[in-house]
């Protein structure tokens, strides 16, 4: 007869880690994580810095794009300023005016005399029409005696002279008749010189850009001044500023190309934006037509 096997009274030992083994594993994981951080941390920090620089670059590029677009509408001979301030007169439209037959004498502009009406080939302002306060300018050179900002030079109509437009036929062709007006009814103005290209400009008014500390400000809607308002104190008395950017570390403007012999002008813009220890510097030259 087979006897039953002997049953052990000892429990089977359980597997696991000792405290020393756990400490060793933690130390090894820390070493591995530290080594990985050397290889992964720098690229991650570089990527985040690149994102910040890209965002700053986009902001600076938008500022320069806005300035470029507006500068290309500047009235010839009206850009002035340097360093932290830039000013120019914005044109809405330009058209050829009549100085020769056919047509009646009132169809033609007589430079050097007080004239009250003249014709343009097509309608100034187009379908948008003429905004309130718009002025007319002929042959502005930006030089003494032909300065659009100086009311005594007469190259631009003063605020007291308005105008309206009608339609007339000259030799069977439709033209636009511009009639000057004043508070008393009929208005007159003496444009001192004829434009060689027979061009009259529709001018909306001056615009100024000013670097003020960490902000770039835009001023508009104020009357032309004989001397350029180039400080915050002067401009604040004329108009309410619009903040374009508040991260400006430095900016400067320079202009070249004034005078009748310069058909093209250049405005150089240097702009530096700074944010969260990141700095972006951009430089742009804006070329525009300076032919009056």
């Amino acid at each position: 007869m087979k006897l039953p096997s002997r049953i052990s009274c000892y429990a089977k030992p359980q597997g696991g880690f000792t405290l020393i083994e756990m400490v060793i594993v933690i130390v090894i994981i820390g070493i591995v994580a530290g080594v990985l951080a050397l290889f992964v941390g720098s690229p991650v920090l570089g990527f985040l810095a690149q994102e910040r620089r890209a965002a700053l670059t986009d902001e600076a590029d938008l500022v320069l794009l806005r300035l470029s677009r507006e500068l290309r509408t500047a009235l010839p001979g009206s850009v002035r300023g340097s360093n932290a301030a830039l000013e120019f007169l914005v044109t809405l439209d330009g058209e050829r005016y009549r100085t020769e037959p056919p047509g009646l004498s009132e169809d033609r502009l007589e430079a050097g005399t007080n004239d009250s009406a003249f014709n343009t080939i097509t309608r100034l302002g187009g379908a948008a029409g003429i905004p309130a306060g718009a002025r007319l300018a002929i042959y502005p050179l930006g030089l003494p005696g032909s300065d659009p900002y100086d009311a005594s030079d007469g190259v631009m109509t003063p605020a007291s002279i308005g105008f309206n437009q009608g339609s007339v036929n000259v030799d069977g062709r439709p033209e636009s008749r511009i009639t000057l007006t004043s508070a008393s009814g009929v208005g007159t103005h003496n444009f001192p010189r004829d434009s060689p290209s027979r061009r009259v400009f529709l001018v909306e008014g001056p615009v100024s850009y000013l670097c003020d500390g960490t902000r770039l400000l835009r001023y508009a809607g104020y009357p032309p001044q004989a001397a350029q308002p180039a400080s915050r104190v002067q401009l604040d008395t004329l108009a309410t500023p619009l903040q374009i950017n508040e991260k400006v570390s430095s900016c400067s403007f320079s202009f070249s190309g004034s005078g009748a012999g310069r058909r093209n002008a250049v405005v150089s813009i240097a702009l530096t934006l700074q944010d969260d220890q990141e700095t972006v510097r951009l430089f742009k030259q804006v070329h525009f037509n300076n032919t009056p």
Side-chain angles (χ1 to χ4, degrees), residues 81-248:
S82 61
N83 297 327
L86 181 71
E87 186 181 34
F88 52 92
L89 293 165
V90 175
T91 58
L92 301 176
D93 198 6
E95 190 49 73
R96 309 284 180 176
Y97 60 84
R98 177 173 290 282
T99 60
E100 299 174 352
L104 304 174
S105 61
E106 56 263 32
D107 296 330
R108 301 187 289 272
L109 176 66
E110 299 289 342
T113 63
N114 287 322
D115 207 342
S116 61
F118 60 91
N119 290 4
T120 57
I121 304 305
T122 60
R123 186 176 180 85
L124 271 174
I130 300 173
R135 306 187 186 196
L136 300 175
I138 294 178
Y139 207 42
L141 300 178
L143 299 173
S146 188
D147 187 350
Y149 293 100
D150 193 337
S152 63
D153 289 351
V155 297
M156 188 166 68
T157 55
S160 59
I161 298 296
F163 59 96
N164 52 48
Q165 293 190 96
S167 297
V168 295
N169 286 320
V170 177
D171 200 22
R173 297 180 181 179
E175 293 185 359
S176 180
R177 168 68 60 80
I178 293 180
T179 303
L180 302 183
T181 61
S182 68
S184 60
V186 177
T188 61
H189 184 71
N190 183 354
F191 292 102
R193 299 177 184 85
D194 256 331
S195 166
S197 57
R198 305 295 187 263
R199 183 180 299 150
V200 56
F201 294 95
L202 181 64
V203 182
E204 184 177 29
V207 167
S208 284
Y209 281 87
L210 177 70
C211 296
D212 178 57
T214 60
R215 298 184 299 171
L216 177 62
L217 304 176
R218 179 184 183 272
Y219 292 83
Y222 61 92
Q225 307 293 305
Q228 182 192 2
S231 69
R232 178 74 187 274
V233 174
Q234 292 173 315
L235 286 166
D236 279 352
T237 62
L238 299 172
T240 302
L242 173 65
Q243 182 172 284
I244 304 300
N245 194 280
E246 60 180 1
K247 300 176 183 178
V248 177

Side-chain angles (χ1 to χ4, degrees), residues 18-135:
T18 65
L19 179 60
I20 296 177
E21 291 174 329
M22 291 182 64
V23 170
I24 293 173
V25 170
I26 292 173
V27 171
I28 293 175
I29 291 175
I31 294 173
V32 173
V35 173
L36 290 176
L38 294 176
F39 292 97
V40 177
S42 294
V44 170
L45 292 176
F47 174 75
L48 296 176
Q50 185 178 4
E51 276 196 330
R52 291 194 297 268
R53 285 193 293 270
L56 273 180
T57 302
D58 287 343
E59 285 190 49
D61 193 51
L62 285 174
V63 171
L64 294 178
L65 180 62
R66 174 172 186 162
L67 259 167
S68 301
R69 287 180 174 177
E70 204 160 23
L71 269 169
R72 291 191 176 98
T73 69
L75 177 72
S78 72
V79 178
R80 60 182 183 179
S82 61
N83 297 327
L86 181 71
E87 186 181 34
F88 52 92
L89 293 165
V90 175
T91 58
L92 301 176
D93 198 6
E95 190 49 73
R96 309 284 180 176
Y97 60 84
R98 177 173 290 282
T99 60
E100 299 174 352
L104 304 174
S105 61
E106 56 263 32
D107 296 330
R108 301 187 289 272
L109 176 66
E110 299 289 342
T113 63
N114 287 322
D115 207 342
S116 61
F118 60 91
N119 290 4
T120 57
I121 304 305
T122 60
R123 186 176 180 85
L124 271 174
I130 300 173
R135 306 187 186 196

